[in-house]
Amino acid sequence: MNDQQWRAHVHESIDQSLAHIQKNPFLAQQIQKKMAEKKKDGRKIAALPLLAAAMMLLLLAGAWAMDLPLWGLKNWLAGEDRPPLPIATSQPHTLGETSHPLGEMRVREMTTDGYGIYFSLEFIPKNEKTLLLSSPSFPGDSVRSIGISPDFEGQTIAQWADAHGYPDLYSLLLYDADVYTSGQSTYSPLYAGLSYPELEKIEENGIHLFMMSLPWEENRKSITLSYLIRKIEEQPADVNEKMTTMLTSVEADGNHKEYFLSIPLEPAENMGKTIIAQYAPLSHGLPENHELQLESLTLFQTPVSGYWDMAYTLSPSRAHDGNREGSPWLYLSGIFGYNTNMHIWQQEEKEDGSIRYHLICSCVLPDSLPEILKGEISLRDPTEDPDDDAFPSSHPVEWQRIRP
Amino acid sequence: MDKSFSAEAEIKLTEWMELYQVPLERMCCIWLKDRYLAQDALQETFLRAFRALPRFRGECSEKNWLMRIAVNVCRNMQRNGWMRRVDRSIDVQSLPLAAPSRNDSLYLAICHLSPRQKEAILLYYYQDMNLDEIAAIVNASPSTVSRRIKAAKEELQRQLKGECP
């Protein structure tokens, strides 16, 4: 059967079998009604471990950020405690709905290096005593329990807010709206996108600063951010229920309008990169059935940020294994810390049908590099259903530095 | 009605509904194996399309753009906790309102394909898209899409055991 015959057969079969599905004359009204109700669902936010990590970052930032007078994009990219990087950042014109009833939202600084887009978003509240927290602070969660783990001895955000005279807490939910609506969100490295910033701080004049990044994409001309601000209620009706809801979806309802910002992007400047060190795999605990060959780990630096680049190859059978191809469910952690929003995937197919992947991630490279690098690779069992969101297994891995 | 629901966008949305409503809903129905979820997916697709309309820059055809949104909506619905806990492996034949037809066998075989293969077959043979267009939608290379279609056809032929002409 040729393609044309297949096409005709598939059309005929589906159209006959689903002949009962016909035009719904009320569809337009149903959609308009849905819009009027401002219902929105399906916005998954990052997984709990990432949220927990982000919450800790938030607490740490809250504890010391106010003492850093020059804190900004350069400091952040330099690792906060180092001298600012010698890069030129721009202050792009922020288009769209910058005005919110609670204040102004706009981009303060931005820079790109061909791998990542780094920017700081500032929120200038109308009332200096407005405390805006990023999404790890679940809007439905009790403020008294935010950030609390059994061995945590610091202040909760609520205690800090009380001590500093902030009467109300608000949560900020941020999305990369282009990715969300383009259909890429499920599998894209931008999935987590801008759900939460890497760091945030409050400056002395009450201005909130959110530091963010996302992978650079060729041909992308602008970033469209959507943001939603909601008051954090102290006592939700049902904490467990709210928590569950917040882990799976975020809804804009009639009381919370979604705002859109647009930030034009300049073409990425070719800043070049410097290879800092290369490592070869020394040992790993990866099971054989993954048919995954670790190749190298390269550390390089652009004028904006340090990066690690892990190269590995999947065998032809695994690379083209039905549902699994194109979905390298693999992550590397433990290498100089990493930026959770900044995973860049590159891939190339070899002549034998295997596929070489590069997983590139921003990091702060230390002054003194170790001879042996230790990390942990998380990946899914290839025998599992790829559509099952089972938690991946972790495997230790070591690389040995290669001297030229 | 929402003030932002402009007349121009409303006309565009109506036009799209007229053209794409039925094939989109049928595709979602096969994907989600549930008539009512398919209706939800269809509404959500048009809703997202309407919201994103000001940002639609015409870089692809409107049909491809809608397909991309529909694919994402279905994927998201499939991946939510409820869908993953409900056995939908056998309910195709008992779909409410689904009428048996002489061509059921191929339809049922398509329903039983893996998600990726089903996606490729539906977009290629039912939505008449080419490999490049599908690749852009599913975030894979054209050669990957081609391999998925080939594997899907082999699986369909295996399931149908000669029924397929």
Side-chain angles (χ1 to χ4, degrees), chain A residues 12-13 15 24 182 323 387, chain B residues 21 68 102-103 114-115 126:
Chain A
E12 187 184 7
S13 176
D15 288 341
N24 171 5
S182 74
N323 297 324
D387 287 317
Chain B
Q21 179 188 151
R68 176 177 281 206
R102 64 182 174 83
N103 257 319
S114 67
Y126 189 60

Side-chain angles (χ1 to χ4, degrees), chain A residues 1-4 6-25 27-28 30-32 34-36 38-44 177-189 191 219 221-222 224 248 258 260 319-320 322-327 329 347 349 355 380 385-390, chain B residues 1-2 4-5 10 13-14 17-18 21-22 25-27 29-30 35 40 42-44 46-48 50-52 55 57 65 68-69 72 75-76 78-80 84 95-99 101-107 110 114-117 121-122 124-129 136-139 141 143-144 147-148 153 156-157 163-165:
Chain A
M1 195 160 59
N2 63 29
D3 257 12
Q4 200 57 39
W6 266 102
R7 185 160 283 125
H9 202 50
V10 167
H11 266 280
E12 187 184 7
S13 176
I14 292 176
D15 288 341
Q16 284 189 8
S17 298
L18 296 177
H20 58 282
I21 294 182
Q22 293 295 333
K23 282 179 186 164
N24 171 5
L27 181 61
Q30 288 166 350
I31 292 171
Q32 287 181 27
K34 206 169 181 179
M35 282 207 66
K38 295 184 179 175
K39 286 283 183 187
K40 180 176 286 182
D41 56 21
R43 288 192 161 184
K44 294 184 177 180
D178 291 327
V179 173
Y180 173 57
T181 53
S182 74
Q184 299 275 341
S185 65
T186 304
Y187 297 107
S188 167
Y191 176 52
N219 303 323
K221 302 288 190 300
S222 66
T224 306
T248 54
E258 186 176 28
F260 289 91
H320 304 298
N323 297 324
R324 194 153 293 274
E325 56 190 336
S327 295
W329 284 102
Q347 70 179 68
E349 185 158 355
I355 295 181
R380 299 253 182 103
D385 179 355
D387 287 317
D388 188 355
D389 281 339
Chain B
M1 189 186 297
D2 194 308
S4 64
F5 204 81
E10 194 170 350
L13 191 64
T14 308
M17 283 179 198
E18 184 69 23
Q21 179 188 151
V22 173
E25 187 174 344
R26 288 179 182 173
M27 185 178 81
C29 190
I30 293 176
R35 172 75 192 277
D40 283 349
L42 184 73
Q43 283 187 21
E44 182 66 20
F46 283 118
L47 192 60
R48 287 192 192 186
F50 178 79
R51 283 186 166 138
R55 297 193 298 281
R57 294 181 286 264
W65 190 62
R68 176 177 281 206
I69 296 174
N72 193 42
R75 281 177 171 179
N76 281 344
Q78 271 192 317
R79 294 170 76 85
N80 77 27
R84 282 187 279 111
L95 276 175
L97 309 178
S101 79
R102 64 182 174 83
N103 257 319
D104 265 355
S105 51
L106 177 57
Y107 160 70
I110 292 171
S114 67
R116 295 279 173 86
Q117 291 178 353
I121 286 287
L122 287 173
Y124 190 67
Y125 287 125
Y126 189 60
Q127 302 294 353
D128 303 326
M129 302 174 78
I137 286 178
V138 302
N139 207 19
S141 68
S143 61
T144 298
R147 278 193 299 273
R148 284 179 191 167
K153 280 160 62 176
L156 289 174
Q157 283 169 331
E163 281 183 53
C164 210

Side-chain angles (χ1 to χ4, degrees), chain A residues 204-256:
Chain A
E204 285 180 11
N205 50 8
I207 295 177
H208 290 54
L209 201 57
F210 302 92
M211 315 302 293
M212 297 191 274
S213 66
L214 68 167
W216 170 258
E217 281 185 309
E218 203 69 39
N219 303 323
R220 195 169 184 188
K221 302 288 190 300
S222 66
I223 301 171
T224 306
L225 293 178
S226 76
Y227 69 98
L228 186 67
I229 296 177
R230 297 202 288 196
K231 187 175 177 181
I232 299 176
E233 300 298 337
E234 190 156 325
Q235 294 298 335
D238 181 335
V239 172
N240 290 332
E241 183 186 336
K242 293 276 185 181
M243 282 288 283
T244 304
T245 303
M246 289 310 301
L247 283 172
T248 54
S249 66
V250 176
E251 288 186 356
D253 55 35
N255 299 320
H256 301 95

Side-chain angles (χ1 to χ4, degrees), chain A residues 136-170:
Chain A
S137 50
F138 309 114
D141 198 4
S142 164
V143 292
R144 298 291 158 194
S145 63
I146 289 174
I148 293 299
S149 59
D151 56 350
F152 182 75
E153 295 178 352
Q155 282 185 316
T156 66
I157 290 174
Q159 288 165 339
W160 185 90
D162 282 345
H164 290 79
Y166 290 88
D168 295 316
L169 306 186
Y170 294 88

Side-chain angles (χ1 to χ4, degrees), chain A residues 27-332:
Chain A
L27 181 61
Q29 289 94 318
Q30 288 166 350
I31 292 171
Q32 287 181 27
K33 186 181 173 200
K34 206 169 181 179
M35 282 207 66
E37 290 167 353
K38 295 184 179 175
K39 286 283 183 187
K40 180 176 286 182
D41 56 21
R43 288 192 161 184
K44 294 184 177 180
I45 58 174
L48 183 58
L50 295 181
L51 290 172
M55 273 196 287
M56 292 312 294
L57 275 177
L58 176 70
L59 289 168
L60 289 172
W64 52 255
M66 293 184 74
D67 296 323
L68 295 174
L70 296 173
W71 203 83
L73 187 58
K74 293 177 183 179
N75 299 68
W76 172 53
L77 291 168
E80 291 90 45
D81 54 351
R82 296 168 155 205
L85 288 163
I87 55 169
T89 66
S90 64
Q91 184 177 7
H93 186 46
T94 314
L95 308 170
E97 298 170 291
T98 53
S99 286
H100 186 279
L102 289 174
E104 288 283 314
M105 186 77 82
R106 64 190 179 208
V107 173
R108 180 188 286 185
E109 293 176 280
M110 174 179 278
T111 190
T112 61
D113 62 357
Y115 292 94
I117 302 167
Y118 299 86
F119 63 100
S120 59
L121 189 67
E122 67 178 5
F123 175 71
I124 307 163
K126 288 179 180 169
N127 178 347
E128 279 192 18
K129 288 301 180 185
T130 299
L131 185 56
L132 186 60
L133 307 168
S134 59
S135 59
S137 50
F138 309 114
D141 198 4
S142 164
V143 292
R144 298 291 158 194
S145 63
I146 289 174
I148 293 299
S149 59
D151 56 350
F152 182 75
E153 295 178 352
Q155 282 185 316
T156 66
I157 290 174
Q159 288 165 339
W160 185 90
D162 282 345
H164 290 79
Y166 290 88
D168 295 316
L169 306 186
Y170 294 88
S171 72
L172 170 67
L173 301 165
L174 283 163
Y175 294 96
D176 183 338
D178 291 327
V179 173
Y180 173 57
T181 53
S182 74
Q184 299 275 341
S185 65
T186 304
Y187 297 107
S188 167
L190 298 177
Y191 176 52
L194 301 167
S195 294
Y196 52 87
E198 279 88 36
L199 278 174
E200 60 187 81
K201 69 161 290 195
I202 305 165
E203 296 176 331
E204 285 180 11
N205 50 8
I207 295 177
H208 290 54
L209 201 57
F210 302 92
M211 315 302 293
M212 297 191 274
S213 66
L214 68 167
W216 170 258
E217 281 185 309
E218 203 69 39
N219 303 323
R220 195 169 184 188
K221 302 288 190 300
S222 66
I223 301 171
T224 306
L225 293 178
S226 76
Y227 69 98
L228 186 67
I229 296 177
R230 297 202 288 196
K231 187 175 177 181
I232 299 176
E233 300 298 337
E234 190 156 325
Q235 294 298 335
D238 181 335
V239 172
N240 290 332
E241 183 186 336
K242 293 276 185 181
M243 282 288 283
T244 304
T245 303
M246 289 310 301
L247 283 172
T248 54
S249 66
V250 176
E251 288 186 356
D253 55 35
N255 299 320
H256 301 95
K257 181 179 181 296
E258 186 176 28
Y259 291 75
F260 289 91
L261 299 178
S262 179
I263 307 151
L265 286 176
E266 296 295 324
E269 189 180 342
N270 184 8
M271 295 179 170
K273 68 177 185 182
T274 306
I275 304 290
I276 304 298
Q278 286 188 303
Y279 291 80
L282 180 64
S283 67
H284 64 77
L286 294 168
E288 286 184 3
N289 67 345
H290 284 94
E291 299 175 37
L292 183 154
Q293 182 72 43
L294 291 178
E295 293 189 354
S296 63
L297 190 132
T298 303
L299 306 180
F300 68 91
Q301 179 86 46
T302 73
V304 173
S305 177
Y307 294 88
W308 53 253
D309 172 353
M310 181 176 69
Y312 64 94
T313 295
L314 282 183
S315 69
S317 61
R318 186 60 70 206
H320 304 298
D321 178 15
N323 297 324
R324 194 153 293 274
E325 56 190 336
S327 295
W329 284 102
L330 178 149
Y331 297 96
L332 172 66

Side-chain angles (χ1 to χ4, degrees), chain A residues 336-349:
Chain A
F336 310 136
Y338 67 104
N339 175 342
T340 50
N341 282 351
M342 186 60 78
H343 280 101
I344 303 160
W345 292 94
Q346 295 174 350
Q347 70 179 68
E348 55 181 298
E349 185 158 355

